[in-house]
Short mmCIF file of all heavy atoms in Angstrom, two decimals:
data_model
loop_
_atom_site.label_atom_id
_atom_site.label_comp_id
_atom_site.label_asym_id
_atom_site.label_seq_id
_atom_site.Cartn_x
_atom_site.Cartn_y
_atom_site.Cartn_z
N ALA A 145 13.87 11.71 -5.75
CA ALA A 145 14.65 10.98 -4.79
C ALA A 145 13.92 10.89 -3.46
O ALA A 145 14.14 9.86 -2.73
CB ALA A 145 16.03 11.66 -4.56
N LYS A 146 13.05 11.85 -3.16
CA LYS A 146 12.24 11.81 -1.94
C LYS A 146 10.83 11.42 -2.19
O LYS A 146 10.01 11.43 -1.20
CB LYS A 146 12.36 13.19 -1.31
CG LYS A 146 13.72 13.64 -0.83
CD LYS A 146 13.75 14.98 -0.25
CE LYS A 146 15.13 15.43 0.20
NZ LYS A 146 15.14 16.73 0.84
N ASN A 147 10.44 11.11 -3.38
CA ASN A 147 9.04 10.73 -3.67
C ASN A 147 8.00 11.76 -3.20
O ASN A 147 6.96 11.57 -2.65
CB ASN A 147 8.70 9.36 -3.12
CG ASN A 147 9.34 8.24 -3.79
OD1 ASN A 147 9.68 8.36 -5.00
ND2 ASN A 147 9.52 7.10 -3.09
N THR A 148 8.40 13.07 -3.46
CA THR A 148 7.66 14.20 -2.94
C THR A 148 7.34 15.12 -4.08
O THR A 148 8.12 15.39 -4.94
CB THR A 148 8.42 14.93 -1.87
OG1 THR A 148 8.73 14.09 -0.83
CG2 THR A 148 7.69 16.17 -1.36
N VAL A 149 6.08 15.63 -4.02
CA VAL A 149 5.58 16.69 -5.00
C VAL A 149 5.24 17.95 -4.18
O VAL A 149 4.73 17.88 -3.06
CB VAL A 149 4.41 16.17 -5.82
CG1 VAL A 149 3.24 15.85 -4.93
CG2 VAL A 149 4.13 17.25 -6.89
N TYR A 150 5.51 19.11 -4.79
CA TYR A 150 5.22 20.35 -4.10
C TYR A 150 4.39 21.23 -4.93
O TYR A 150 4.26 21.11 -6.19
CB TYR A 150 6.52 21.13 -3.89
CG TYR A 150 7.65 20.42 -3.17
CD1 TYR A 150 8.61 19.67 -3.91
CD2 TYR A 150 7.63 20.38 -1.71
CE1 TYR A 150 9.57 18.98 -3.11
CE2 TYR A 150 8.63 19.66 -1.12
CZ TYR A 150 9.55 18.93 -1.78
OH TYR A 150 10.58 18.31 -1.08
N LEU A 151 3.55 22.10 -4.29
CA LEU A 151 2.80 23.07 -4.98
C LEU A 151 3.10 24.51 -4.30
O LEU A 151 2.64 24.72 -3.20
CB LEU A 151 1.39 22.78 -4.90
CG LEU A 151 0.44 23.75 -5.74
CD1 LEU A 151 0.76 23.60 -7.19
CD2 LEU A 151 -1.02 23.51 -5.50
N GLN A 152 3.84 25.34 -4.99
CA GLN A 152 4.11 26.73 -4.54
C GLN A 152 2.94 27.54 -5.00
O GLN A 152 2.75 27.69 -6.19
CB GLN A 152 5.45 27.17 -5.01
CG GLN A 152 5.74 28.62 -4.59
CD GLN A 152 5.99 28.74 -3.13
OE1 GLN A 152 6.66 27.95 -2.50
NE2 GLN A 152 5.40 29.70 -2.49
N MET A 153 2.19 28.19 -4.12
CA MET A 153 1.06 28.98 -4.49
C MET A 153 1.31 30.44 -4.03
O MET A 153 1.49 30.75 -2.93
CB MET A 153 -0.20 28.49 -3.72
CG MET A 153 -0.52 27.00 -4.01
SD MET A 153 -2.12 26.48 -3.25
CE MET A 153 -1.56 26.52 -1.47
N ASN A 154 1.52 31.28 -5.10
CA ASN A 154 1.68 32.74 -4.84
C ASN A 154 0.49 33.51 -5.30
O ASN A 154 -0.36 33.04 -6.01
CB ASN A 154 2.99 33.19 -5.65
CG ASN A 154 4.13 32.51 -5.19
OD1 ASN A 154 4.40 32.17 -4.06
ND2 ASN A 154 5.10 32.26 -6.16
N SER A 155 0.40 34.77 -4.85
CA SER A 155 -0.70 35.66 -5.26
C SER A 155 -2.01 35.00 -5.00
O SER A 155 -2.91 35.04 -5.88
CB SER A 155 -0.49 36.15 -6.67
OG SER A 155 0.67 36.74 -6.86
N LEU A 156 -2.21 34.44 -3.84
CA LEU A 156 -3.47 33.68 -3.56
C LEU A 156 -4.68 34.59 -3.56
O LEU A 156 -4.63 35.81 -3.14
CB LEU A 156 -3.35 32.98 -2.30
CG LEU A 156 -2.51 31.67 -2.30
CD1 LEU A 156 -2.05 31.23 -0.89
CD2 LEU A 156 -3.26 30.60 -2.97
N LYS A 157 -5.78 34.05 -4.04
CA LYS A 157 -7.05 34.80 -4.16
C LYS A 157 -8.13 34.04 -3.31
O LYS A 157 -8.00 32.81 -3.11
CB LYS A 157 -7.54 34.86 -5.56
CG LYS A 157 -6.54 35.50 -6.61
CD LYS A 157 -7.12 35.39 -8.01
CE LYS A 157 -6.08 36.01 -8.99
NZ LYS A 157 -6.55 35.94 -10.37
N PRO A 158 -9.14 34.70 -2.87
CA PRO A 158 -10.22 34.04 -2.11
C PRO A 158 -10.79 32.89 -2.88
O PRO A 158 -11.14 31.86 -2.26
CB PRO A 158 -11.26 35.19 -1.84
CG PRO A 158 -10.46 36.42 -1.87
CD PRO A 158 -9.33 36.16 -2.89
N GLU A 159 -10.89 32.92 -4.21
CA GLU A 159 -11.42 31.83 -4.92
C GLU A 159 -10.51 30.58 -5.03
O GLU A 159 -10.94 29.58 -5.50
CB GLU A 159 -11.78 32.27 -6.35
CG GLU A 159 -10.62 32.93 -7.10
CD GLU A 159 -10.77 34.45 -7.01
OE1 GLU A 159 -11.06 35.01 -5.92
OE2 GLU A 159 -10.54 35.07 -8.12
#
Side-chain angles (χ1 to χ4, degrees):
K146 298 180 179 180
N147 289 333
T148 300
V149 63
Y150 306 93
L151 185 67
Q152 179 67 47
M153 303 184 293
N154 298 326
S155 301
L156 283 162
K157 304 175 181 179
E159 51 263 43

